[in-house]
Amino acid sequence: MAIKLTRDEEQFELEERVPVLPLRDVVIFPYMVIPLLVGRAASLAAVEAALAGDRWIFLVAQRTADTQDPAAADLFRVGVAGRVLQVARLPNGTTKVLVEGVARAKVTRYAPTDKVLRAVITPFALDEPAGGADERAMARRVVTLFEEYVALHRRLPAEVVSLVQGTEAREKQAFAIAAHMLVRLDQRQDYLQAANIGALFTMLADALTSEIEILRLERKIEGEVRGSLFQNQREFYLQEQLKAIHRELGQDEGDGFDELTAALEKKQLPPLVRERADRELRKLRRTAPLSPESTVARNYLDWIVALPWTERSDDVVDVARAQAVLDEDHFGLTDVKDRILDYIAVLALVGKLEGPILCLVGAPGVGKTSLGRSIARALGRTFVRMSLGGVRDEAEIRGHRRTYIGSLPGRVIQAMRRAEVVNPVILLDEVDKMGQDWRGDPSSALLEVLDPEQNTAFNDHYLEIDYDLSQVLFVTTANSLAQIPEPLRDRMEIIRLPGYVDHEKHAIARQFLVPRQLTAHGLDPKLVTFDADVIPAVTRLYTREAGVRDLERRIARIARKLARRAAAAKLLTPEPMHVAHADLKELLGVPPFEAEEQTLDDKVGVATGLAYTSVGGDLLEIEVAVVRGRGRLQLTGTLGDVLKESANAAMTYARSRASMLGIDPEFPKTRDIHVHLPAGATPKDGPSAGIAIAAALVSALTGAPVRGDTAMTGEVTLRGRVLPIGGLKEKLVAARRAGITHIIIPEGNAREIEEIPEDIRAGLQFHPVSTMDQVLAHALRPARVAAPAELAAAVTH
């Protein structure tokens, strides 16, 4: 039975059953003439069968190229009916066959015989929809994309574009483009199996767009690489030409080695350092200039030359001048100033003294960082600040080894390079804010830096030679000692900076803050006057801090308002300006704090404790309510574990002393106790509120009011003993600021009272205690008939 195939206007008649030639890694399209190398026995038999007949053969691709003897399941169902044009036998035993693809055909079924695999095929013409603008536009776009594809692809000759453009039939154009697409086998088979001409053009457009993007990227990368290589060669060539020109003019600059050698000679390096530098210089001379090793060695030698090894500044050993400088920059801070003056006095007698390591601990805004700068000015030394806040990498201190790209020495060596002398004052700011992770522990790396016994031979990973830090005066700052590891804390001399009391803040504002802010805002301090009660009102109503940072911000806001007034007036000559207490609301807004927020009235079930925070001391109001219940103890106010344990210890103490205190021994069975510490959203912890909780609890159970003019601090035990606490100076500053007159402290802290400055102790009466019975004797007034409001607040029946 014969079938008819149509291509363009030609018609071909052939037998329905034709020999099959399986193709590996190739798909043949209609109109395509291609030579094939045939070597497999079954394929040779198919060619022989075609030659013995009417030369028709079915060309179909294998699904997998590795299959040596493909069966019907290994072949696709759509192929091309083609004609054998020419056959040539080659010397190596293979046969070269020239075939022409005529038209698409679909396999109805494969019919294997003894030697030849035949297929029953039917025509599979490429349907072409009725001509429309969309199809023509798509065909033009595919041809345009194919032109760009050929232009970008090096393996396709430009003549292919002319071949496609010269073809009028769209089917022939589509198959010609598909035949020259260098894509995967499955994609080429999809093109051959397209349902119609529109689908084929759509697939070709998508594939060409993707391939063009890839080719453009390849061209871009190749161009960048070629440009980089060309630039390096060009720079090398120009450098060599420049050297030749300089030599001809007698201006040979050489390679910089002479200049580097002269700098090393002038530096007066220690013997071991000079030996290492000479070795690196010899290696640098032998290294090619364009080698990365050359840059590494040159940078290393530059660091050696830039670091101070013997250069030092002359210390100013005038104690009187140092005293004047420290007083000029800071008000108060007597302990720190005395320690610096002692150091200067010893330096004047001895001539050389290993630098101490001072650690200034205090709340934010008390002047720790600026004090380090004043110390340097008093000594006549160079000042370098090094912030350690957030440092987590040990290499930040010790440096990176030179094997890493972009490696640098650590911050300590970098600070010495900026100082340019061997005896600067280096401020290690925020030493308590360092962290640690898998990259190392920077606080452990600081142990060598801050140990006078070890820092004479500090070894940086980048330098790999010992560097002497013994002449450096290190000053560290911290807000809290709790975050500093014990070994590091042991190497430093701790100097605490308490918060400022009100009269110190007033003096600092008048002497330093007001003139500085007025000048910074373009105002003449001589033309601006403040009433005597303005600064105290700003301190009391607009700030709550241990330092003066917020106070300076408030003064800066006043200065801005005054500068705005002056600018609005547009006066040719400045006029005097005056600030009164009544102007503060206009200048600063509504006061955020009340003048007397802490009342001094006696209350039942309310005691005033003293707390130490990161911003200084603070008052802690402790409230206890007794209600009908079953003996449950409720603790609120965002309390930490230690503070909860203190409340439990106070509860046990009250139960054990119930009979002696006049409390119903059965109260744990009939009453619930609620202990609350405002403000509820602020976390609180620590043992120092123990005696205040116990006093408030006993007051609530007995009805005896707690004295409102008394504040207390101390840890309580189950047996009623009072243990010492820390941060006494900061707590006393907070008590004095709030108007408290009586302070109950542990007997173990009584020896610290003499170290408290007189201006803080003034007006305070201290009551050292060793037992809870003594606390209650000082803190509670005799029981009286409580008012209804007090009963409602303290005891609910």
Side-chain angles (χ1 to χ4, degrees), residues 438-455:
W438 55 270
R439 288 168 291 190
D441 183 4
S443 61
S444 298
L446 273 183
L447 297 178
E448 181 182 2
V449 176
L450 299 181
D451 190 345
E453 299 297 326
Q454 300 181 46
N455 63 12

Side-chain angles (χ1 to χ4, degrees), residues 245-529:
I245 293 172
H246 282 300
R247 282 195 297 269
E248 290 296 328
L249 295 175
Q251 300 174 354
D252 187 8
E253 295 183 355
D255 45 17
F257 293 143
D258 295 338
E259 180 182 348
L260 193 56
T261 303
L264 292 174
E265 291 285 350
K266 182 181 177 181
K267 199 63 181 176
Q268 298 180 357
L269 301 173
L272 293 177
V273 179
R274 181 55 192 271
E275 179 182 350
R276 178 62 180 272
D278 289 341
R279 187 164 67 248
E280 291 290 334
L281 184 59
R282 289 194 298 269
K283 184 173 72 173
L284 178 60
R285 291 180 186 272
R286 296 191 299 267
T287 306
L290 296 180
S291 171
E293 288 295 327
S294 175
T295 304
V296 172
R298 184 60 188 253
N299 289 341
Y300 179 80
L301 290 173
D302 287 342
W303 272 100
I304 294 293
V305 172
L307 283 174
W309 297 94
T310 56
E311 301 86 349
R312 57 176 291 119
S313 58
D314 295 332
D315 290 326
V316 178
V317 292
D318 187 346
V319 177
R321 177 188 175 279
Q323 176 80 57
V325 169
L326 294 174
D327 290 340
E328 178 184 345
D329 290 345
H330 291 83
F331 184 87
L333 305 180
T334 306
D335 291 345
V336 187
K337 293 178 180 178
D338 287 344
R339 181 64 186 88
I340 299 303
L341 294 176
D342 293 344
Y343 174 77
I344 295 174
V346 175
L347 189 63
L349 296 176
V350 178
K352 181 180 179 181
L353 185 65
E354 290 185 352
I357 289 86
L358 305 179
C359 181
L360 308 179
V361 181
V366 297
K368 300 183 296 297
T369 303
S370 59
L371 186 60
R373 188 175 287 104
S374 296
I375 292 172
R377 195 161 76 90
L379 289 170
R381 293 189 177 189
T382 304
F383 175 76
V384 180
R385 176 180 173 271
M386 191 172 80
S387 177
L388 297 178
V391 172
R392 292 180 173 272
D393 192 352
E394 175 255 355
E396 293 276 358
I397 306 299
R398 291 186 176 274
H400 297 83
R401 301 192 183 278
R402 285 188 292 158
T403 53
Y404 297 103
I405 296 176
S407 57
L408 284 173
R411 292 195 180 192
V412 177
I413 296 299
Q414 293 181 33
M416 295 302 297
R417 179 176 181 174
R418 296 199 304 271
E420 299 180 348
V421 290
V422 296
N423 61 335
V425 175
I426 295 183
L427 179 72
L428 305 178
D429 211 3
E430 308 293 355
V431 74
D432 59 329
K433 304 297 190 302
M434 289 187 296
Q436 64 181 74
D437 57 12
W438 55 270
R439 288 168 291 190
D441 183 4
S443 61
S444 298
L446 273 183
L447 297 178
E448 181 182 2
V449 176
L450 299 181
D451 190 345
E453 299 297 326
Q454 300 181 46
N455 63 12
T456 55
F458 173 68
N459 194 285
D460 187 273
H461 288 164
Y462 182 86
L463 295 180
E464 295 180 334
I465 50 179
D466 292 339
Y467 190 86
D468 187 3
L469 297 174
S470 61
Q471 300 183 58
V472 179
L473 174 57
F474 287 102
V475 180
T476 67
T477 69
N479 296 129
S480 172
L481 289 177
Q483 307 300 326
I484 303 177
E486 184 62 33
L488 183 59
R489 194 187 318 168
D490 181 63
R491 285 164 168 79
M492 300 185 294
E493 181 177 344
I494 308 298
I495 300 178
R496 293 186 176 273
L497 276 66
Y500 295 114
V501 292
D502 286 350
H503 77 275
E504 290 178 329
K505 292 184 179 181
H506 303 161
I508 292 171
R510 293 191 181 98
Q511 296 179 24
F512 302 100
L513 305 184
V514 171
R516 181 166 64 197
Q517 290 300 326
L518 292 177
T519 303
H521 290 82
L523 301 174
D524 187 354
K526 297 179 181 179
L527 298 178
V528 181
T529 57

Side-chain angles (χ1 to χ4, degrees), residues 680-700:
T682 304
K684 311 168 190 70
D685 204 359
S688 63
I691 64 172
I693 296 175
L697 179 60
V698 172
S699 171

